[in-house]
Amino acid sequence: MSERPEYAVFCGIDVGKGAHHAVALDVAGKRLHDKELPQDEAALRAMFQRLLVHGPVLVVVDQPNNIGALAIAVARDSGCQVAYLPGLAMRRIADLHPGQAKTDARDAYVIAEAARSMPHTLRRVDIGEAALAELDVLVGFDDDLASEATRLVNRIRGLLGGIHPALERVLGPRVQQAGVLALLMTFGGPVGLRTAGRRKLLSVATKGSPRFNTAVIDELLAALDEQTVVVPGTDAAQQVLPRLAKSLAEVLDQRKAIAAQVEKVLDAHPLAGVLISMPGVGVRTAARILLEVGDASGFPTSGHLAAYAGLAPVTTRSGSSIRGEHPSRAGNKQLKRAMFLAAFAALRDPVSRAYYDRKRAEGKKHNAALICLARRRCDVLHAMLRTGAHYNPPKPAAA
């Protein structure tokens, strides 16, 4: 929030589930308000109206989503501007103040003082936009489904690997395919798969997935022949595997439905087409970038955006003995993951692939080269969001 109007009041709110604590300071740092605030619309509105008597009010929260959403909505409706102070920045700023206590009142004062004296630490809050508010709910639920799918996949592969390692090597990497899930739901473990026979296995797999690769059935039967001994626990796994496969299939179906809803909501945002035009950026990645970055107006340069995403290297230099750079461990973890996965998906793009290959030729490992590519794409993404221009691949230089 580098470009901001002059405010007369800086109100810091340490949000809580049942009640908040609000501290309001004027330009000189004098306290205008310092009380506990119920999580109630009437109480919030009354406080904002009292503060607006002094002039324009900037409300700053430490959690813009979930329990802080009501305070933000009421503040906007009352005519106040809203900003967000990241938790890590708040804790570091708190270390500059005397005392070691950790109370809601102290945290609210630190937030208000940071808004008054260090406006560059603040971030914009775009939760007021209907499309982003809906995306926040949908993407959050999709993240939960993704975690559940990962847990179920690991559980299935763990069971198969314990009772029949050869079978796990064939089905494990393909366990999220509809045809493989149909086989596990119908026949369970190695005992049921062995007694079914090739014709029945192929019928069930192609029914679950018409484009199922029939060569997998041959690999499956060959893997079953590799082990004749029955490992203890096979009978129990035979009963559990169909249930796990059914649960995984339901979770994957829910993710498909949520992805369709995310795409529908995303189409209503003016920057959706800009983001998706970039190679490697899909619906889920575009939604995550919009939620975390918005229109990038809160980042003066692409370097600020890269630092926020944790993609900028950290330089360590002290005198002549300590010199070097290392990957950042800070930043927005969800945004960093989205940018990393988008860079990986962009390796099919000739321009991105050429840059990745150049970094590999310099001696960087796969992940390090991808981080470099994601950092380079931050420059392009920042320019696209600030100008609203679609991705335009660079033209090859003339010979």
Side-chain angles (χ1 to χ4, degrees), residues 33 36-50 74:
H33 182 92
E36 188 177 273
L37 190 64
Q39 177 78 298
D40 177 74
E41 179 182 352
L44 289 165
R45 191 179 297 276
M47 184 198 69
F48 294 140
Q49 293 299 329
R50 288 195 300 270
V74 177

Side-chain angles (χ1 to χ4, degrees), residues 185-310:
M185 284 188 287
T186 306
F187 305 111
V191 176
L193 292 170
R194 182 178 287 107
T195 57
R198 188 181 190 281
R199 180 178 297 180
K200 188 176 290 186
L201 291 174
L202 186 59
S203 175
V204 171
T206 53
K207 185 178 180 181
S209 177
R211 300 178 64 181
F212 185 79
N213 185 5
T214 57
V216 177
I217 300 298
D218 298 329
E219 295 180 26
L220 187 152
L221 294 173
L224 290 173
D225 293 338
E226 292 182 19
Q227 180 176 320
T228 58
V229 67
V230 178
V231 176
T234 301
D235 292 338
Q238 189 77 26
Q239 304 299 320
V240 173
L241 282 170
R243 293 177 172 85
L244 290 174
K246 182 179 179 181
S247 298
L248 179 57
E250 293 173 352
V251 170
L252 295 178
D253 289 341
Q254 289 186 67
R255 289 205 72 192
K256 291 180 182 178
I258 290 296
Q261 293 180 344
V262 169
E263 185 174 7
K264 183 178 179 181
V265 175
L266 194 63
D267 289 340
H269 199 282
L271 291 176
V274 174
L275 288 171
I276 295 180
S277 68
M278 191 175 191
V281 177
V283 173
R284 290 188 175 96
T285 306
R288 175 56 64 189
I289 293 174
L290 276 179
L291 288 174
E292 305 298 338
V293 178
D295 60 0
S297 59
F299 303 93
T301 66
S302 60
H304 288 80
L305 177 59
Y308 177 67

Side-chain angles (χ1 to χ4, degrees), residues 130-172:
L132 290 181
E134 292 184 18
L135 277 179
D136 188 31
V137 176
L138 293 173
V139 171
F141 183 55
D142 183 67
D143 290 341
D144 295 338
L145 291 176
S147 299
E148 179 64 13
T150 301
R151 186 189 68 82
L152 290 170
V153 168
N154 292 337
R155 185 70 176 128
I156 292 173
R157 297 192 67 171
L159 276 178
L160 288 175
I163 62 175
H164 205 298
L167 183 62
E168 193 279 330
R169 286 193 293 270
V170 175
L171 298 184

Side-chain angles (χ1 to χ4, degrees), residues 103-146:
T103 64
D104 295 342
R106 185 173 186 270
D107 289 346
Y109 172 78
V110 170
I111 296 171
E113 179 63 20
R116 185 185 73 88
S117 59
M118 292 181 284
H120 61 278
T121 61
L122 305 180
R123 296 285 182 265
R124 289 185 54 183
V125 176
D126 295 321
I127 198 170
E129 299 183 18
L132 290 181
E134 292 184 18
L135 277 179
D136 188 31
V137 176
L138 293 173
V139 171
F141 183 55
D142 183 67
D143 290 341
D144 295 338
L145 291 176

